[in-house]
Amino acid sequence: MKTNDAPSADGVWHHCHLLADADPARAMRDAAIAVEHGRIVWLGEASALPESLRHLPRHDAAGAWITPGLVDCHTHLVYGGQRADEFAMRLAGASYEEIARAGGGIVSTVRATRDADEATLFAQAAPRLEALLAEGVTAIEIKSGYGLSLDAERKQLRVARQLGEAYGVTVHTTFLGAHALPPEYAGRADDYIELVCNTMLPALAGEKLVDAVDAFCEGIGFSPAQTERVFEAAARHGLPVKLHAEQLSNLGGAALAARHRALSADHLEHLDEAGVAAMAQAGTVAVLLPGAYYFLRDTHLPPLALLRQYGVPIAIATDHNPGTSPTTSLLLMMNMACTLFRMTVPEVLAGVTVHAARALGAADRHGRLAVGRVADFALWRVDSPAELAYRFGGNPCAAVVRQGRVHVQGKGIQR
Ligand code: NIG
Ligand code: FE
């Protein structure tokens, strides 16, 4: 359902099992959740439901497992066109970097995004968002970065906000002006960074379109020095930062991000121990993106053992974008994080809930079910939460409660 007039979730959800904080060891069978005025007012074992809540209307969950709504903490959901031809070029032997350096890649999506108006961008992004929501996503990050001019970046961010309103889903916007060098700035990267820091960011932050600031620190993106200028500009506006770091090479981006207290550093295939240590110290979340790893046929694994050893929180996201990860399935990313990165089931469950919420700077609102929070949860037709990571290509989501409203899909909650 596209609008906010979906039915209220108020009442007692019973005949369910509960994974309130993504830790399977603390899963609760025969549980119940009570919702009033769109907020969770009680959760626990059904037999302990307080007398005072027994009069509330009942929602029969039909034996479903209930988890926190999933959080997709890294997406580029709003853009024009698609890049299937580039995929074909890569299959014929060209590398992602070669295509980018030849004027394709990100810059080709920039052309298509600049050419589209807001209504077109909304119409193209809507089905992608719907697919994510159908799999239990209740909070999502959406980056700009395919406009690369003030007007076109504004257009992307405005559409991201409009999607949040239209679908009753939490959208966190990230300004990624420093994603690639627009063609009109060829050979003048420092001048473009100046525009990003001193014109684009002040205007867009002033319009309340920016929740966080990101950059692409890479040989085909921007240098650590240029990235740092972007981070300093973000700080002047009181905005948290994130970074596309160590995807194709190691430029020390993750450590730089950690020095700026980044919410997250993302990709990280080439992350080294110094970067891991810096992230651990700063509390920066490692956002791993198995879709991009898979689609680029990367073979350089992110350093899972080190991330675990240093206790860095690990999130998983779709990185939905037309160039390196044209997927709209966060469940598939969970499975791929297990098969490709050898992550465990508890790790990927935390990776799309508590840790993903933290990567958004929203750990106090998303990723965990708790009394007082807005009711954002998903009902699953599975026998155990591990099934969410085990299956691939299906969707066992029976219903989603977003912002206190019920959205039913598939065959609903009947088993
Ligand atoms: O997250 N790494 C840079 N940015 C995107 C890809 C963008 C594109 O190719 O269009 C990513 O993978
Ligand atoms: Fe990305």
Side-chain angles (χ1 to χ4, degrees):
M1 190 169 308
K2 185 175 156 184
T3 59
N4 267 341
D5 43 50
S8 164
D10 282 9
V12 174
W13 293 76
H14 71 119
H15 195 185
C16 60
H17 312 298
L18 200 56
L19 192 68
D21 66 356
D23 178 358
R26 288 208 291 271
M28 200 185 294
R29 287 194 170 268
D30 301 318
I33 306 183
V35 177
E36 279 189 302
H37 307 296
R39 286 186 184 271
I40 298 172
V41 293
W42 185 89
L43 51 81
E45 285 179 14
S47 58
L49 183 71
E51 193 61 45
S52 58
L53 298 175
R54 290 183 186 219
H55 68 283
L56 293 179
R58 292 267 167 161
H59 301 275
D60 184 350
W65 273 89
I66 296 185
T67 67
L70 306 189
V71 178
D72 193 355
C73 67
H74 180 140
T75 87
H76 309 247
L77 203 77
V78 176
Y79 56 83
Q82 44 79 24
R83 305 231 294 273
D85 290 350
E86 184 182 306
F87 178 50
M89 285 164 70
R90 283 199 292 108
L91 291 173
S95 78
Y96 180 64
E97 281 158 298
E98 283 163 0
I99 291 168
R101 290 189 197 283
I106 294 173
V107 168
S108 71
T109 300
V110 170
R111 283 191 289 273
T113 304
R114 287 179 174 180
D115 285 347
D117 61 14
E118 283 185 20
T120 305
L121 290 176
F122 185 102
Q124 292 186 1
R128 300 171 198 141
L129 179 62
E130 286 173 15
L132 290 168
L133 300 183
E135 286 190 354
V137 168
T138 62
I140 179 173
E141 186 245 24
I142 301 180
K143 300 176 194 293
S144 65
Y146 288 122
L148 311 186
S149 69
L150 175 57
D151 285 350
E153 289 286 302
R154 177 190 286 123
K155 192 167 61 174
Q156 277 193 279
L157 293 169
R158 280 173 50 87
V159 170
R161 287 273 192 252
Q162 289 159 17
L163 288 165
E165 296 270 310
Y167 286 88
V169 59
T170 301
V171 170
H172 279 235
T173 55
T174 297
F175 172 56
L176 179 56
H179 192 196
L181 195 59
E184 63 274 20
Y185 276 84
R188 295 188 295 133
D190 283 322
D191 291 348
Y192 179 64
I193 290 295
E194 166 79 16
L195 179 80
V196 165
C197 296
N198 295 331
T199 302
M200 291 161 77
L201 180 57
L204 299 170
E207 293 167 39
K208 300 272 175 264
L209 287 170
V210 182
D211 299 324
V213 176
D214 192 353
F216 184 25
C217 185
E218 190 57 68
I220 57 168
F222 295 94
S223 69
Q226 289 161 342
T227 300
E228 186 145 38
R229 287 173 61 195
V230 174
F231 285 175
E232 285 163 357
R236 288 197 291 278
H237 294 278
L239 290 167
V241 298
K242 324 171 118 290
L243 190 64
H244 282 72
E246 269 77 276
Q247 180 187 11
L248 308 170
S249 61
N250 181 1
L251 298 185
L256 170 65
R259 277 204 301 284
H260 289 264
R261 292 269 173 253
L263 291 172
S264 68
D266 305 36
H267 286 287
L268 303 176
E269 280 83 349
H270 293 261
L271 180 64
D272 61 13
E273 185 161 3
V276 175
M279 289 176 68
Q281 226 222 336
T284 297
V285 177
V287 178
L288 302 186
L289 304 167
Y293 176 91
Y294 160 82
F295 198 63
L296 292 179
R297 306 193 67 232
D298 202 344
T299 51
H300 206 289
L301 283 164
L304 252 299
L306 284 172
L307 291 168
R308 288 180 182 128
Q309 184 189 323
Y310 280 80
V312 176
I314 303 170
I316 302 296
T318 61
D319 190 18
H320 175 89
N321 76 73
T324 67
S325 193
T327 179
T328 48
S329 175
L330 190 54
L331 291 177
L332 179 59
M333 297 306 106
M334 291 168 70
N335 178 271
M336 284 171 45
C338 294
T339 53
L340 299 176
F341 297 165
R342 287 280 177 253
M343 288 181 68
T344 65
V345 168
E347 281 175 337
V348 296
L349 286 169
V352 295
T353 55
V354 282
H355 295 160
R358 180 164 160 185
L360 288 189
D364 56 339
R365 279 158 285 148
H366 290 280
R368 175 176 275 141
L369 299 177
V371 169
R373 291 190 174 199
V374 170
D376 262 351
F377 51 82
L379 284 76
W380 307 96
R381 272 188 304 271
V382 292
D383 293 325
S384 79
E387 240 181 285
L388 300 181
Y390 154 79
R391 296 195 180 281
F392 58 101
N395 180 11
C397 186
V400 190
V401 171
R402 280 200 309 276
Q403 300 182 343
R405 298 194 172 271
V406 190
H407 302 263
V408 177
Q409 60 251 346
K411 298 192 191 81
I413 55 182
Q414 304 311 313
R415 279 156 81 86

